[in-house]
């Protein structure tokens, strides 16, 4: 299939990044001009594009007392704001202060101030995401003990004040969540969460969980009901049975359905269609019609990450094989692997030689026409 | 759930400390209300002796710490909250084993510690800032060491130099003393920014680990001048620290607050614990290794005593997501990946016959999930696995920005805008989009002609395009205004050369002009290339797989677009194919096989299927068919609105909101025709989506233009401005 030699098309350039442990998350801002990384070394770093294809470190600070799992940008309307969550059981909201436009390139590092520390969780906070901006300034966190918390900043000018609006217990360990970014006024606010609760293999355990046997799925959909003023679980996707590591709604720019990517033992793309209220009874009362569009085990290992491009036409995934695969819809609604980026692991060379370093590799695809033919 | 090899016993009260005897077969635990000796069996703890007996259970029994002589089998010492140091002799007959009480400290004694080689020497550290060395034979205080710091929290004899001991204090300093010299300490240095709660000597290296409220564990090389070797960052105040025997770089710790688990760290990877034991329900108060790296004991405020086996450990690093992937608005992809991935580890128990996906076992947050071999592999790879590579790949820049900048959405009649935009789309090789624009142009032009009898001849189409050039549509309108509606459904296949696959094209009326050229075998008169099974709007540069052919030409009926997994394709079929099916009553006869290309047989086959499809579609989907209007005589105005609506919806579903939004905008007043088919909220969603997309690319001018148009176009004013204000 020509996938193996695709890496030859990339020339790697390395830049010292200096995270002292694994990087757990990378996030681009709304425009794709800034990038945030977070690591187990408890640091968050901000990288700015210099407009010529290079990236420069403009912020670096110790953000937490434990591994920083996720970092996410707020919509730029709210300022230069990020949120982080950590093993230390807190989530934090950070804002860049000072003149963000002028002279930053010269004076080096900019200052990020912790505006708020959300300390409600009793266990590791596994994910944090800002809500779609048309809902206001919302922040949702989830924790290893399975509680989803939705915070709101009533005054968008005051990032220090966040009120805990909703606490949704799920009873299973939650590893990831995703807002449905749909701009539609018809759809109520919607969240998808993924659980990494391991499947108990022994029969005894499965007997005692028969209460939840209605759905063994690991992906749950929650919706906000305006009438009841609370979030309720409206669906559980039975098609995802293995522990889920990451989950992502595709940006919905007017699709009539939602696309949900799930990183579990494989890469899954699930189409979620709202069932009209009228036909609800015919459908056994289900709120959604879901369909697994594809499930790829091409990573041949646990898949850790999925991420959509801005139009929801391209999905990137990465797994334990340390490869990134790009998935694209081809004819007949078939999703196909469009490219494989491989970052050769260094192998078993003595760690001392390169201990505590990390590098940025820059690569540019020479010509899109060089993409692999299947 | 307690792992199977872990044993546990609960008492009536929490224990503050525990100590093992010299051969590690028995353990003593001591607390405010508990003081017991257990023998450690393979599967259980057996109570050997309860020392909390006798008539006067005074404060001497309220123990902060306990120590078991490393030489004498029967000698124990406890440190009491009232400042007493009590020595116990397990060999005494009778119920009370109390041997002697030293009441020399005036405040709580935090720690007692036996000399490692001298059986009669015992040292204590107290809240009063003093350490006292007791001579058990003389039953007196041999020496008093005045620290001149705050409270002493821990004292430990060095295993390397017999008479040296370390003392840590609440003001963050560490002192080294010679037990024979009480005048002044050997070394004094500030180790932490907060109180130091514990220290532990490395069994082999000249290292001292100190644990502090500043949430760090520091490893000091005190060979000569104290030198900070490693710092471990934990999430909570560290209460205790103990080196793991036989493992040079590993140290166990437990927290004073917040964190109930015992963590084992590799000092070379100071941010992530190698192993975690999370059985305790309250904070762990003491830990002790059973002289082996495989088992250790711990007590907790939850009143339990545990013996943990290292094989039952949970490994947090295995549940941490080691990858980060993000795709930016600019199409860049960032990927953080471990430079040295941990080995693929297999779970301990997996049902036989279960297909084992390599690496899947890594995602097992439960304790004791790894086999011994896997655990050893993890231990080896762990310290080196602390670096990530951050890679950036530039994926294709999409045509979106270019199109957004060049599209015209106002300032001209819709059909001219459409013609322009079609050319733009084609220049970016977005042939499907171009096709939509052509249809829009055709429709609008027809309308325009109705109103303005002498239509202006549009300029010739762009010539550089690989697919057949566009036939000026107005010709047809001039010549055969009725027929165009009916006949523009002439279909056939030919190789577009762009997608590398047969392409369904739509034939526009056999205008005179076109007929003349027919002889040249030059397929003039083709409006544009479009394929019914086309899906990928953006990636026209992708050569489609060869498998496309077998799929399409597979003889047995259900035609692929009808199969359930591809419902959207069905829609495509509807929107484009209907056009072909409507007027051409006998499409086969009308096939002109234009290019006479090599793929003609295959294409014909495809084509016939396509016709079947059309027939089927017509049967059920009559609502979308054009037929009625065409036959309704007289009017050139074909109602293609449903088709256009379907096409736009299709594009939106494929993630191409740009086409959907811009077509709607360019339609100006004609947009109202679409309302029956696309409800207002969906239209609004498209426009908002397009605006967001433009903003992401910082195309402010275009975004403002779009906004301005929206405001102009009355029907949406209310809705969109509302949403805009709500966004602001």
């Amino acid at each position: 299939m020509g996938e193996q030699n695709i890496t030859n098309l990339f020339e790697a350039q390395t830049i010292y990044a200096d995270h002292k442990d694994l990087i757990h998350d990378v996030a681009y801002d709304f425009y794709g001009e800034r990038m945030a990384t977070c690591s187990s070394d408890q640091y968050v770093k901000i990288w700015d594009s210099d407009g010529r294809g290079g990236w420069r470190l403009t912020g670096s600070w110790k953000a937490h007392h434990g591994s920083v799992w996720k970092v996410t940008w707020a919509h730029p309307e709210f300022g230069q704001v990020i949120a982080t969550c950590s093993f230390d059981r807190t989530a934090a909201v950070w804002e860049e202060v000072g003149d963000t436009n002028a002279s930053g390139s010269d004076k080096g590092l900019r200052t990020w101030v912790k505006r708020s520390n959300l300390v409600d969780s009793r266990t590791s906070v596994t994910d944090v995401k800002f809500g779609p901006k048309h809902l206001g300034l919302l922040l949702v966190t989830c924790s290893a003990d399975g509680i989803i918390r939705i915070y709101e900043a009533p005054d968008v000018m005051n990032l220090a004040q966040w009120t805990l609006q909703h606490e949704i217990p799920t009873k299973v360990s939650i590893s990831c969540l995703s807002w449905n970014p749909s701009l539609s006024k018809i759809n109520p606010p919607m969240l998808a969460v993924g659980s990494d609760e391991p499947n108990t293999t022994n029969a005894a355990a499965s007997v005692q969980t028969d209460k939840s046997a209605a759905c063994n799925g690991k992906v749950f959909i929650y919706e906000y009901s305006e009438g009841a003023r609370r979030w309720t679980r409206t669906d559980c996707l039975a098609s995802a049975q293995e522990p889920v590591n990451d989950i992502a709604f595709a940006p919905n720019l007017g699709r009539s359905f939602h696309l949900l990517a799930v990183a579990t033992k494989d890469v899954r793309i699930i189409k979620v269609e709202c069932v009209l209220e009228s036909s609800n009874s015919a459908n056994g009362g289900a709120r959604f019609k879901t369909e697994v569009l594809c499930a790829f085990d091409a990573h041949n290992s646990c898949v850790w990450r999925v991420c959509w491009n801005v139009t929801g036409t391209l999905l990137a995934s990465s797994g334990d094989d340390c490869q990134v695969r790009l998935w694209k819809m081809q004819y007949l609604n078939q999703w196909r692997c469009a490219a494989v980026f491989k970052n050769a692991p260094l192998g078993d060379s003595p760690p001392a030689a390169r201990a505590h370093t990390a590098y940025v590799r820059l690569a540019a695809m020479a010509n899109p026409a060089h993409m692999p033919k299947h | 759930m307690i792992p199977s090899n872990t044993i546990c016993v609960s008492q009536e009260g929490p224990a503050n400390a525990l100590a093992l005897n010299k051969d590690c077969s028995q353990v003593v635990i001591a607390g405010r209300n508990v003081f017991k000796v257990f023998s450690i069996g393979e599967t259980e703890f057996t109570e050997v002796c309860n020392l909390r007996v006798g008539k006067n259970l005074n404060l001497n029994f309220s123990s902060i710490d306990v120590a078991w002589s490393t030489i004498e089998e029967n000698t124990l010492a406890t440190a009491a909250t009232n400042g007493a140091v009590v020595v116990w002799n397990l060999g005494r007959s009778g119920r009370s084993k109390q041997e002697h009480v030293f009441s020399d400290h005036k405040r709580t004694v935090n720690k007692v510690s036996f000399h490692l080689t001298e059986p009669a020497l015992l040292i204590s550290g107290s809240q009063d800032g003093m350490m006292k060395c007791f001579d058990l034979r003389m039953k007196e205080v041999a020496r008093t060491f005045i620290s001149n710091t705050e409270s002493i929290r821990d004292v430990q004899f060095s295993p390397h130099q017999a008479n040296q001991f370390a003392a840590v204090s609440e003001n963050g300093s560490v002192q080294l003393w010679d037990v024979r010299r009480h005048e002044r300490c050997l070394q004094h240095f500030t180790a932490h920014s907060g109180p130091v709660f514990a220290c532990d000597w490395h069994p082999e290296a000249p290292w001292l680990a100190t644990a502090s409220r500043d949430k760090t564990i520091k490893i000091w090389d005190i060979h000569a001048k104290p030198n900070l070797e490693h710092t471990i960052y934990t999430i909570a105040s560290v209460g205790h620290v103990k080196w793991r025997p036989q493992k040079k770089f590993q140290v166990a710790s437990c927290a004073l607050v917040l964190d109930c688990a015992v963590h084992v760290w590799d000092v070379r990877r100071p941010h992530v614990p190698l192993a975690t034991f999370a059985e305790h329900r309250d904070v762990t108060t003491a830990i002790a290794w059973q002289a082996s790296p495989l088992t250790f004991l711990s007590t907790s405020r939850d009143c339990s005593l545990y013996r943990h086996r290292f094989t039952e450990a949970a490994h947090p690093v295995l549940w941490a997501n080691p990858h980060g992937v993000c795709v930016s608005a600019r199409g860049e992809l960032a990927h953080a990946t471990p430079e040295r991935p941990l080995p693929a580890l297999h779970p301990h128990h997996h049902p036989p016959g279960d297909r084992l996906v390599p690496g899947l076992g890594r995602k097992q947050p439960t304790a004791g999930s790894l086999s011994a071999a896997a655990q050893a592999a993890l231990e080896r790879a762990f310290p080196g696995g602390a670096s990530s590579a951050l890679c950036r790949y530039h994926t294709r820049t999409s045509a979106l920005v270019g199109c957004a900048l060049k599209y015209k959405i106002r300032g001209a009649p819709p059909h001219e805008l459409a013609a322009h935009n079609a050319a733009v789309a084609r220049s970016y090789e977005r042939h499907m989009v171009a096709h939509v624009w052509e249809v829009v142009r055709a429709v609008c032009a027809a309308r325009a002609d109705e109103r303005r009898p002498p239509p202006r001849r549009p300029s010739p189409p762009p010539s550089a395009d690989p697919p057949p050039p566009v036939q000026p549509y107005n010709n047809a309108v001039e010549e055969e205004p009725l027929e165009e509606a009916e006949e523009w459904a002439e279909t056939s296949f030919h190789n577009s050369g762009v997608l590398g696959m047969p392409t369904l094209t739509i034939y526009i009326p056999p205008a005179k002009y076109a007929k003349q050229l027919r002889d040249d075998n030059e397929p003039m008169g083709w409006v544009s290339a479009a394929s019914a099974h086309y899906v990928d709007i953006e990636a026209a540069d992708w050569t489609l797989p060869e498998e496309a052919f077998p799929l399409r030409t597979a003889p047995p009926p259900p035609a692929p677009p009808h199969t359930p997994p591809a419902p959207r394709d069905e829609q495509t079929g509807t929107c484009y194919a209907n056009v072909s099916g409507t007027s051409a009553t006998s499409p086969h006869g009308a096939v002109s096989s234009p290019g006479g290309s090599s793929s003609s047989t295959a294409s014909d086959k495809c084509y016939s299927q396509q016709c079947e499809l059309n027939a089927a579609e017509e049967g059920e989907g009559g609502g979308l068919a054009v037929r009625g209007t065409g036959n309704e005589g007289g009017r050139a105005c074909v109602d293609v609105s449903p088709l256009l609506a379907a096409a736009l919806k299709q594009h939106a579903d494929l993630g191409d909101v740009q086409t959907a939004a811009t077509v709607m905008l360019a339609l100006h007043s004609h947009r109202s025709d679409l309302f029956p088919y696309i409800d207002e909220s969906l239209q609004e969603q498209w426009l908002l989506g397009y605006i967001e997309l433009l903003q992401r690319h910082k195309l402010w001018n275009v975004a403002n233009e779009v906004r301005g148009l929206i405001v102009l176009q009355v029907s949406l004013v209310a809705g969109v401005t509302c949403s805009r204000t709500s966004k602001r």
Side-chain angles (χ1 to χ4, degrees), chain A residues 10 19-33 35 37 40-42 47 53 55 62 65-67 69 77 87-89 133-134 182-186 196 198 201 243 245 252-257 265 271 291 293 297 300-302 304-305 307-311 313 316-320 322-324 326 328-334 336 338 341-343 345-347 349-351 354 356-365 368-369 371-374, chain B residues 215 233-235 258-260 263 268-272 317-330 332-341 349 351 355 357-360 362-366 384-396 400 533-536 538-539 541-548 551-552 560-561 564-569 652-655 657 679 681-682 684-686 688-689 692-693 695-698 700 719 723 726-728:
Chain A
F10 303 98
H19 268 298
K20 292 185 170 54
D21 208 309
L22 287 182
I23 297 171
H24 294 299
D25 199 13
V26 184
Y28 280 109
D29 74 341
F30 183 77
Y31 303 113
E33 293 180 341
M35 186 170 72
T37 56
S40 261
D41 70 2
Q42 309 173 357
W47 307 82
W55 289 80
K62 184 175 158 154
H65 287 294
S67 299
W69 297 136
E77 232 168 55
F87 182 68
D88 71 5
R89 303 163 186 207
K133 102 186 144 155
H134 61 268
S182 171
L183 298 164
S184 167
K185 295 250 157 56
I186 301 168
D196 60 355
T201 45
N245 298 321
N252 185 332
L253 305 170
R255 279 193 185 87
S256 54
F257 50 88
K265 73 178 200 311
K271 178 177 168 182
E291 177 193 344
L293 293 182
D297 54 5
N300 205 21
S301 60
C302 177
W304 287 104
R305 279 309 178 115
C307 181
W308 293 94
N309 69 347
V310 282
T311 51
T313 51
S317 69
S318 81
D320 265 343
C322 291
Q323 295 179 346
V324 181
L326 299 185
K328 215 164 175 20
M329 190 164 68
Q330 306 288 341
Y331 68 107
L332 283 179
N333 297 316
Q334 294 208 357
R336 288 296 185 92
F341 302 144
K342 184 159 173 58
N343 184 42
L346 293 176
S349 58
R354 287 167 54 106
H356 304 329
T357 58
Y359 293 87
V360 183
R361 286 203 185 146
L362 302 175
M365 197 179 296
M371 290 290 231
K373 295 174 180 160
H374 287 269
Chain B
K215 303 182 181 178
Y233 301 88
T234 77
I235 66 167
L258 198 71
D259 189 359
C260 308
H263 301 289
R268 294 165 296 181
R269 190 168 177 186
H271 299 100
V272 185
V317 71
L318 299 186
W319 2 309
N321 191 336
H323 288 266
V325 170
C326 194
V327 183
S328 80
R330 302 290 151 89
E332 272 184 358
L333 188 146
H335 179 217
T337 180
E339 290 200 325
R340 259 176 240 90
H349 320 282
R355 194 174 70 96
V357 181
L360 246 192
R362 290 198 43 201
K363 190 67 186 179
Q364 288 289 337
T366 41
S387 53
S388 281
L390 190 60
C391 321
R392 235 162 40 79
Y393 304 102
H394 198 78
T395 59
R396 229 164 46 81
L400 185 134
H533 44 258
Y534 154 86
V535 174
D536 195 351
E538 236 185 87
D541 52 329
W542 285 71
T543 306
L544 280 159
E546 292 295 306
E547 297 95 87
L551 255 176
R552 272 277 144 187
R568 274 180 283 156
D569 209 59
D653 280 0
L654 292 172
V657 74
D679 57 30
S681 69
L682 184 60
E684 185 192 322
Q685 206 183 331
W686 288 351
L688 292 175
E692 186 189 309
L693 215 50
Q695 285 172 339
R696 277 190 188 271
H697 289 92
K698 296 201 166 176
W700 311 116
S723 63
S726 74
K727 278 183 301 181
R728 283 289 151 204

Side-chain angles (χ1 to χ4, degrees), chain A residues 17-96:
Chain A
D18 199 27
H19 268 298
K20 292 185 170 54
D21 208 309
L22 287 182
I23 297 171
H24 294 299
D25 199 13
V26 184
Y28 280 109
D29 74 341
F30 183 77
Y31 303 113
E33 293 180 341
R34 312 191 83 185
M35 186 170 72
T37 56
C38 64
S39 160
S40 261
D41 70 2
Q42 309 173 357
Y43 272 71
V44 170
K45 293 183 190 232
I46 306 292
W47 307 82
D48 282 8
S49 166
D50 61 6
R52 298 184 303 274
W55 289 80
R56 211 163 30 78
L57 181 72
T58 60
S60 174
W61 70 98
K62 184 175 158 154
H64 286 277
H65 287 294
S67 299
V68 187
W69 297 136
K70 297 273 171 73
V71 59
T72 184
W73 291 83
H75 193 278
E77 232 168 55
F78 303 115
Q80 294 298 309
V81 176
I82 61 167
T84 54
C85 66
S86 164
F87 182 68
D88 71 5
R89 303 163 186 207
T90 66
V93 179
W94 307 85
E95 186 179 23
E96 192 178 40

Side-chain angles (χ1 to χ4, degrees), chain B residues 599-616:
Chain B
S599 69
S600 62
T601 38
S603 349
D604 279 347
K605 230 174 177 176
C606 290
Y607 174 58
S608 58
Q609 273 192 9
Q610 190 63 47
C611 292
E612 283 168 28
L613 162 68
N614 295 339

Side-chain angles (χ1 to χ4, degrees), chain B residues 571-596:
Chain B
Q571 206 182 352
T572 330
T574 319
C575 82
Y576 293 116
N578 255 331
V579 180
S580 60
T582 44
S583 57
T585 40
S586 62
H588 272 289
V591 173
S592 53
S593 68

